[in-house]
Amino acid sequence: MDSLSQLSLGAAVGVAVMGKRTGVGKAALIGAFFGTLPDLDVLIDYGDPISNMTYHRGDSHSLFYLGLLSPLFAWLLCRLPGQRRHWKRWTLTLGLILITHVLLDNMTVYGTQLARPFSDYPFGIGSIFIMDPLYTLPLLLGLTVALFRRGSRGGAANRLGLGLSTLYLCWSLVAQWQVGQTADRVLAEQGIEVERRLITPTAFNTLLWRVLVITPDGYLEGFISLLDREEPQFIRHQQGRDLYKKWQQHPQVARLAWFSKGFFRMSERRGQLLITDLRMGQEPSYTFSFVVAERGPTQQWQALSIPRQLGERPPMRPAFNWLWRRALGEPLPPLHRWLDDSHHHAGPVSAPAR
């Protein structure tokens, strides 16, 4: 999740567990710091953009390592005046702050290696977008009341914020399941052979969901809103499997293919060979797209010693307009096709993929 959400969650947990013992302000400040701490691994340079991406949320997000570090961090905090007798309580508090950070990250699709050192599998449920105001606002509101209105009412408001944000995560799982049921039914009715599929929310909400389907001859992308009245449509795209067969031994190509759990694309664009993580973004704009080779003077591919990241984003204002209308159930075509329509009319969508 984004830093504000993690900071707010850490502060709220700190206040809930230690607010009465060490003071609300101090508990919130310490909770915010440790709630942000695991994400400081972004400051580590692993040598290239793909490594930086795939090692993020690695050892710093290990439940095992964080469990070992919690008593040490608590011991350091007990060096503060008046905190020596709270070592056990600080150990519990910091353990909860760090573990909830990891578990919240696990709700996103990115990939959190929470089982290190026993496994480097990048877990990711993908039921919530990395930024969602409906998750973060209850935490911030409850925390604000606790900071400015001390006593039982402030503590109750903070606990209420934690409860509401947790219920929202539970709701996201229910919504994801419901969309998955709809997607599976439509895909089966259309006779589409599914190798793997992914259901993730679009930006800042849990009403509109993106469905990504890997098939033997490419991949499909579609969108399903919980308010839709019409059947979803899927657009077929090429995955570049022939390119992947030629480059699958390339270390960075292999690593991104593994990290994305097979939801990737290889393509050629203007003499550049790209590998793209299809999980984060939507056609044709993706956050994590990397140039791994270029055509030389002889038109032969030359691998780059250090890949270059070419992340792209759609124009923000029309993208938000599309997102809002599509989330409310309006049967718009995919964003890139809608943007190509100079009048922004919701024309007929493409025929279902078969």
Side-chain angles (χ1 to χ4, degrees):
M1 292 290 287
D2 64 288
S3 296
L4 179 60
S5 296
Q6 293 289 13
L7 181 151
S8 302
L9 176 61
V13 172
V15 170
V17 184
M18 287 298 295
K20 292 182 179 180
R21 290 170 173 80
T22 192
V24 173
K26 184 181 292 185
L29 183 61
I30 292 173
F33 172 77
F34 283 96
T36 308
L37 184 62
D39 283 340
L40 295 183
D41 68 339
V42 298
L43 301 177
I44 302 173
D45 185 0
Y46 292 98
D48 66 85
I50 292 180
S51 295
N52 290 341
M53 172 196 177
T54 58
Y55 282 105
H56 175 49
R57 297 193 190 177
D59 288 335
S60 68
H61 286 62
S62 161
L63 292 174
F64 177 75
Y65 291 142
L66 293 176
L68 292 179
L69 287 171
S70 295
L72 174 60
F73 289 147
W75 178 82
L76 292 173
L77 281 177
C78 287
R79 303 304 95 190
L80 296 175
Q83 299 303 308
R84 186 178 300 273
R85 59 193 177 91
H86 294 313
W87 177 77
K88 289 184 179 180
R89 196 74 178 185
W90 273 122
T91 298
L92 172 64
T93 303
L94 297 185
L96 288 173
I97 290 171
L98 295 171
I99 288 171
T100 53
H101 176 116
V102 172
L103 295 180
L104 179 58
D105 275 349
N106 184 51
M107 299 295 290
T108 70
V109 75
Y110 184 94
T112 305
Q113 299 169 50
L114 53 83
R116 280 179 172 265
F118 311 105
S119 169
D120 61 357
Y121 182 79
F123 294 90
I125 295 172
S127 68
I128 193 166
F129 190 69
I130 58 171
M131 295 178 64
D132 192 322
L134 289 181
Y135 174 80
T136 310
L137 282 176
L139 292 172
L140 285 174
L141 291 174
L143 188 61
T144 300
V145 173
L147 288 171
F148 289 96
R149 188 165 188 173
R150 306 298 173 91
S152 60
R153 291 189 177 182
N158 183 63
R159 292 192 296 273
L160 178 61
L162 279 167
L164 290 175
S165 64
T166 302
L167 284 176
Y168 185 70
L169 291 180
C170 295
W171 151 253
S172 75
L173 293 170
V174 174
Q176 184 186 46
W177 175 83
Q178 179 61 48
V179 171
Q181 294 292 105
T182 300
D184 290 343
R185 174 181 58 79
V186 172
L187 292 168
E189 289 174 353
Q190 295 183 9
I192 295 173
E193 184 179 348
V194 177
E195 291 187 353
R196 56 177 63 87
R197 67 133 171 89
L198 184 68
I199 311 289
T200 57
T202 55
F204 316 124
N205 78 103
T206 50
L207 277 180
L208 179 61
W209 296 74
R210 178 173 177 254
V211 182
L212 182 63
V213 182
I214 302 296
T215 67
D217 57 352
Y219 65 94
L220 310 177
E221 182 188 57
F223 295 88
I224 298 177
S225 170
L226 296 176
L227 302 180
D228 277 348
R229 299 181 182 86
E230 299 182 7
E231 293 284 77
Q233 307 293 320
F234 294 94
I235 308 298
R236 189 180 300 278
H237 303 277
Q238 296 298 313
Q239 193 182 7
R241 293 198 178 186
D242 291 340
L243 287 172
Y244 175 64
K245 289 178 181 178
K246 297 177 181 178
W247 287 86
Q248 59 185 329
Q249 300 303 320
H250 185 283
Q252 302 297 359
V253 168
R255 184 159 184 84
L256 190 59
W258 159 79
F259 188 74
S260 66
K261 304 184 181 107
F263 292 99
F264 69 93
R265 174 187 69 201
M266 293 202 71
S267 58
E268 180 181 353
R269 185 175 65 185
R270 296 191 294 272
Q272 297 177 325
L273 182 66
L274 285 81
I275 183 168
T276 301
D277 189 327
L278 297 172
R279 300 172 302 156
M280 288 162 279
Q282 63 188 76
E283 290 297 325
S285 303
Y286 290 96
T287 304
F288 296 104
S289 189
F290 305 91
V291 179
V292 294
E294 293 179 331
R295 288 194 182 276
T298 62
Q299 295 302 303
Q300 296 296 314
W301 287 115
Q302 296 179 354
L304 300 181
S305 57
I306 299 179
R308 293 197 307 271
Q309 185 171 353
L310 291 180
E312 298 177 348
R313 293 180 180 178
M316 298 302 291
R317 181 172 295 180
F320 275 119
N321 186 16
W322 176 88
L323 178 68
W324 173 254
R325 293 169 59 181
R326 185 65 189 85
L328 293 179
E330 190 172 343
L332 300 177
L335 175 60
H336 64 286
R337 296 192 176 186
W338 185 72
L339 290 175
D340 287 341
D341 183 349
S342 60
H343 301 291
H344 284 183
H345 290 318
V349 298
S350 298
R354 296 188 182 276

